[in-house]
Amino acid sequence: MKELLIIAIGSAIVNNVVLSQFLGICPFLGVSKKVETASGMGGAVIFVITIASFITSLIYKFILVPLHISYLQTIVFILVIAALVQFVEMFLKKSMPSLYNALGVYLPLITTNCAVLGVALTNVQKDYGILTGVVNGIGTSVGFAIAIVIMAGIREKIEYNDISESFQGTPIVLVTAALMSIAFFGFSGLI
């Protein structure tokens, strides 16, 4: 149990997928304009990464390895992730149309979000079991949600500040992301 807790905290905070590993930057920068939209994207990513971690671990352990076709892992993992994102997209379109419209093009981009594929490949590379892989997926996705919601909160506050013209827009967002990354690097070495 202690090991699982260390993996969860380590993947969420110490090795944050966005701010330490620099994966998933596109939705991080694109959807973090409002806290509501960012938390919706965070929830969708939590669902997709957690379920993808479970399904890819099962497929890898019980299909790819026994058949000696583990070299196909990347292709298989991408197909699983694409199917899960389609499921999330259909669910949000039906049950939460306002969030679906707010996420826009960034919702289908979860399919190509390298953070999702990165978690599945990390689980294989570190030889995690099914439970450990799922815990790593939950921790990583919660870390993504934390980072995107913090960034959205900061961006909402930035709108009301007087910023020089040369830093308005994307430059101040990139400076903010860099400062957040530096702050999260302060956690390195804790676990």
Side-chain angles (χ1 to χ4, degrees):
M1 186 66 169
K2 182 180 177 183
E3 179 186 337
L4 294 177
L5 185 63
I6 289 173
I7 288 172
I9 292 172
S11 59
I13 297 174
V14 177
N15 298 315
N16 187 286
V17 70
V18 177
L19 301 173
S20 295
Q21 298 176 9
F22 307 111
L23 298 174
I25 298 291
C26 179
F28 173 71
L29 295 176
V31 183
S32 62
K33 292 179 182 172
K34 296 185 184 237
V35 173
E36 288 180 16
T37 310
S39 50
M41 175 60 91
V45 168
I46 287 172
F47 176 79
V48 169
I49 288 181
T50 303
I51 302 300
S53 296
F54 178 70
I55 293 174
T56 55
S57 294
L58 286 175
I59 290 173
Y60 184 78
K61 183 174 183 175
F62 295 114
I63 296 174
L64 298 179
V65 170
L67 294 176
H68 305 292
I69 54 173
S70 58
Y71 57 89
L72 294 175
Q73 68 188 10
T74 305
I75 295 169
V76 171
F77 292 174
I78 289 172
L79 291 174
V80 168
I81 292 165
L84 287 170
V85 170
Q86 288 300 312
F87 174 73
V88 169
E89 190 173 4
M90 289 185 309
F91 175 77
L92 287 179
K93 189 174 185 179
K94 192 80 166 168
S95 64
M96 296 180 227
S98 60
L99 179 59
Y100 174 79
N101 292 329
L103 292 175
V105 70
Y106 294 101
L107 186 59
L109 282 178
I110 295 175
T111 302
T112 58
N113 186 344
C114 51
V116 182
L117 181 60
V119 171
L121 293 175
T122 299
N123 291 341
V124 169
Q125 289 171 352
K126 292 190 175 182
D127 201 27
Y128 286 159
I130 295 170
L131 178 63
T132 311
V134 170
V135 169
N136 182 46
I138 292 170
T140 301
S141 58
V142 167
F144 178 88
I146 289 170
I148 197 169
V149 169
I150 290 173
M151 178 62 130
I154 293 171
R155 285 181 76 173
E156 283 183 358
K157 297 291 183 189
I158 286 176
E159 287 183 28
Y160 301 110
N161 291 332
D162 186 29
I163 299 171
S164 68
E165 190 175 325
S166 60
F167 277 101
Q168 289 179 358
T170 304
I172 194 67
V173 172
L174 293 175
V175 168
T176 304
L179 291 173
M180 285 177 61
S181 180
I182 291 170
F184 268 73
F185 270 119
F187 294 118
S188 64
L190 290 178
I191 294 178

